[in-house]
Amino acid sequence: MGTAVEKDNMFSDSDEVLIGLEIHVQLTKLKTKLFCGCATDYRGKEPNTYVCPICLGLPGTLPVVNKKAIDFAIMVGLALECEIPSKTFFYRKNYYYPDMPKNYQISQYNKAGGVPIGLGGHVTIEINKQKKTINLTRIQLEEDPGRLTYLGSITSSDYTLVDYNRAGITLLEIVTEPDLRSPREARLFLQKLRSIIEHLGVADGSLEGSMRCDANISIRGGNRVEVKNISSFKAVQKALQFELIRQRRQKADGVKTVMETRHWDDEKGITISLRTKEEEHDYRYFPEPDLVPIEITPDWIEKIRNQMPELPDARRERFIRDYQIPPYDAGVLTSSKALADFFENCIKLYNHPKIISNWIMSDLLRHLNDLNIEINESTVTPEQFVNMLKYIDTGTISRRSAKKVLWDMIREGKPPEQIIQEDGHQRIGDENVIRQFVDEIFKEYPQAVQDAIKDDKAINFLSGQVMRKTRGTADPKITYQLIKEKIDLLRKKAN
Amino acid sequence: MASFYELTAYELHSMLQNGDITAEELIYSLFDRIQKTETKIKAYITLLKENAINQARLLDKKLRNSNFFGILAGIPIAIKDNICTKNIRTTCSSKMLDNYVPPYNATVIERILAEGGIIIGKTNMDEFAMGTTTESSYYQITHNPWSLEHVPGGSSGGSAAAVAADETILALGSDTGGSIRCPASFCNITGIKVSYGSISRYGLISYACSLEQIGPLTKDVRDCALLLNVLVGRDPYDSTTLNRPKIDFLATLDEDIKGLRIGIPKEFMGTGTAEAVSKAVWNAVHLLESFGVTYDEISIPLIDYAVPCYYIIAMSEASSNLARYDGIRYGYRVEKDEGEWNEIFAEDRLAFGPEVRRRIMLGTYALSAGYYDMYYLKALKVRTLLRNQFEAQFKSYDIILGPTMPTTPFKIGEMISDPLAMYRTDIDTVAANVTGLPAISIPCGFSDGLPIGLQLIGNSLQEELLLRVAYKFQQETDYHKKKPPIGG
Amino acid sequence: MHITKDQVEHIAWLARIKLTEEEKENYTKLFNDILDYFRKIDEVDTSNIDYTFHGVDIKNVFRDDTIRPSLPKEDIFKNVPKRKDNFVKAPRMV
């Protein structure tokens, strides 16, 4: 599995990579499904709990469109700079699968008279300090199928278990042009996309399975391989990395890459060729006769535009402007809504944006990355974070101690007060206590004492040793003062 | 003195209101009748005697103790077995749904129950509404009360036969290509297909979405209007229903029809039309003329293409609507546990009869890559043209008239082995489905004891006009009052 | 000849309909007759004509994003032929 971390440019640069993504985003902020009134918060619930005759596709049932889904889709289209058509339609995509209750999916289509809810569009990402535009083909609405589980693996199971809780949930499909040039770019794109989606308030990307991705990847001139079953954005870079290396190796060995669909196995970290029966993908698209066309007026679009929340790019500019933090930092802070919100919530409690920003950038994020969790998966709240900073200000803990306190806060999930008390990070402000440490150091380092008598600069060394001995908790000012007093005394005696 | 079961809903309504009869008495009267005739007719798949008696008793109590008097209070009604009734088996006359029990009511059922109607049974039909004779039912052949060797028409043959044989007071059917009007014509009763979007399809087990409507099958036009008052209206559960202003269809029934203009397309009176049928239709036209109605012979050339146009659209939609029957969530499932998805799927679908399987296949073909433009899209354009031609005629005419069916009822077994010949008999009825226009069929004569039906087609949302003309016709004739011999 | 026996078999597969050998033979003839009849619509000049996709001419029919009760489990499962715990049991996939 070590292959996943190998660098992108392992082989020759002339092997240009073409990656296109097809992303499915659940609009999790909708309370009900796309075509019926069933609730959508199915995660963690018993199977087949949020199911009704309509989403179960019982004979005689009919779909009715959730207006808010259209509002949300238009909003996403605007944020992604798509062209919103004046008329859009739902189509049937006919195929048979046990997770599709009607054995057709109500979706949208961009041919045979069909018009999806957003055409074109683009997303700007920053890579290697340069801006890059990733073009989109279209965005469209469709219903999510149910979930299949197996006893064991898909190939060994005797039967399939179906849960229809998810059937009928609103999906927004976003399709990119093959403009991405590396697995890393793909990850950055997805990160940006997620940030935009979350800033719009239409979906919560941290929910399991709420953002899924299929990828198409090829080496220029070679055959395109579709990779399916990538169920989290995190896995996308890994999957693409694996597939890229696999294709490059094939090319180097003179083997032609087969044009096929491969399945990503997240556990094993490999893509597998699914040896399915030669299946004709004739979806026989035709307009959904049970639904009527949707006319999107300029008024409607304006209304949505006026209600649009602040987008990541605008927020980034505001951070730079209002908080005077560097562009790079602003970019990192707005790369996720949760992080940007955390940042601004901290500022509300403690109006020192630059300090907060520094602490987030240098310490908080590093720890989160080490633990491979996101800000909203950690227990650290803005209140706790800010309290920690305030303890530094009041001198209760030193800056150095604070770094350890933060690490403990994240790892153990405790508030700063508790950690400071338990681990003895409390800064020592008592002169008598510090004097004892100073005396000890003077005994341990006689040569340094002599150096200090000759030159004040060497006091720093002694000071440093006191800090070391007290694990950074001795008040530095008092420490320095005490040492200087003692040195001055010794200097006088010598002279 | 007529027995209770021979009366119309309109007549019974006032009798029930006056206390001349209780709902329970009416139910007993009806089930006595059913017991006598049903072995010959076989109109019902499921009879709900106990349920009906209970409902009737509850209703009688309610009627005594409150001001409630719904439009259908105490009136027995038979429901075609493709309309979902909660907790009551609904089969579409198919082995595929032999054991299916819907957990919800169709909207039309909710409306009927809210007005006090009593559901007495589910009636036989062509499997999944695909047919013109009710012969393709998995369960049984329904016999025409006018001649037991003849078909009752289809696909709502069971409902029509039940009304004609006084085995129910009212019935619901569905009409995709003539499935209400054809059996109305063959059984000498009244049936109407409303303008598309007027009655909710929620709970109607789908055959062809953009063509079908639920509608009444009744003893006369007045009962038809009564039932329409309950059924017509927008339904939030059906996106294709229109926001029609509320009308009382009974109120305008006896308004004058003088000065109305009738157009008679020659394409409806073509060479396939039996002489007796032609004669009966012209007699009807002359009678209407005597009431101050004028007529012209006109031409709507696209009528000759309406049948292929209809079948392409219907089969295409059907192939998709019936894809859901895989035996996983409901319906027929083979016993064995082993076997892979596609294999089991195909085996479960052996529960469909031959006509259903053929239509699914042809519909799949018409939608498939390479053929979609040639068949489906082309048909949709022909549909537009047909609509345009009818609309053009409605500028000069109020009603377009012709026979409902080109012949009197076929003999049982006569048409079933020649699907294409069967399809062609829909020549008079399908245009109304393809265009979404309202059309009614009323009795207008007999030939050798077999009924002939007159069809009136109106412009969109003009059911009132159709009912008015039909009502006047029934005031001046007594074809609709005649009772069938029922093989004896 | 609009459709060959092979095509009939292919369509049967696409529609997940199982046919006997006899049916494959019979249907080939029957389908050709029917398709012949369908192709009558080729005679109609439909240049510059729009499609009529729907039965009605209405637009923008929606519902609110308000939760409605779901079906109780007994109602879902009373028609389910094969069940395991709270799952619907389907055949294996490959």
Side-chain angles (χ1 to χ4, degrees), chain B residues 24-94:
Chain B
E24 191 176 343
E25 281 172 313
L26 181 54
I27 297 294
Y28 274 113
S29 163
L30 198 60
F31 274 91
D32 280 346
R33 169 68 172 179
I34 291 172
Q35 184 153 44
K36 288 200 183 81
T37 54
E38 178 62 0
T39 42
K40 296 204 190 106
I41 308 291
K42 298 204 203 300
Y44 286 95
I45 295 179
T46 304
L47 277 166
L48 300 162
K49 185 172 179 182
E50 223 175 280
N51 189 39
I53 292 171
N54 290 337
Q55 292 301 320
R57 286 193 183 137
L58 282 169
L59 192 73
D60 281 331
K61 203 161 161 193
K62 199 171 173 184
L63 293 176
R64 280 196 300 275
N65 297 337
S66 73
N67 285 327
F68 172 79
F69 208 80
I71 302 171
L72 295 177
I75 306 291
I77 175 162
I79 309 290
K80 184 176 182 183
D81 212 14
N82 61 354
I83 297 172
C84 288
T85 40
K86 185 172 177 176
N87 297 331
I88 297 169
R89 188 169 164 249
T90 301
T91 69
C92 288
S93 285
S94 177

Side-chain angles (χ1 to χ4, degrees), chain A residues 439-480:
Chain A
D439 289 344
E440 275 178 41
I441 292 298
F442 268 52
K443 285 201 184 91
E444 286 169 34
Y445 297 96
Q447 184 58 48
V449 172
Q450 292 304 316
D451 290 342
I453 292 172
K454 289 190 192 123
D455 185 355
D456 264 1
K457 276 208 202 103
I459 293 177
N460 288 325
F461 174 79
L462 293 165
S463 189
Q465 292 311 310
V466 171
M467 298 305 275
R468 237 189 74 205
K469 220 176 214 270
T470 61
R471 287 177 301 140
T473 56
D475 185 308
K477 273 205 187 117
I478 299 176
T479 307
Y480 189 87

Side-chain angles (χ1 to χ4, degrees), chain B residues 80 82-83 129 131-132 134 152-157 159-161 171-194 199 204 212-218 224 227-228 231 404-405 426 429 433 439-442 455:
Chain B
K80 184 176 182 183
N82 61 354
I83 297 172
T132 313
T134 306
S155 59
S156 314
S159 278
L172 282 192
S174 72
D175 191 314
T176 314
S179 292
I180 284 177
R181 293 161 286 151
C182 161
S185 172
F186 279 8
C187 290
N188 199 56
I189 59 168
T190 302
I192 187 169
K193 180 200 83 71
V194 289
I199 294 179
L204 171 65
E212 57 203 4
Q213 285 287 277
I214 293 176
L217 283 151
T218 58
C224 209
L227 199 38
L228 284 183
L231 302 174
T404 307
M405 294 297 286
D426 290 335
T429 47
N433 300 88
I440 190 170
S441 176
I442 50 174
Q455 179 178 236

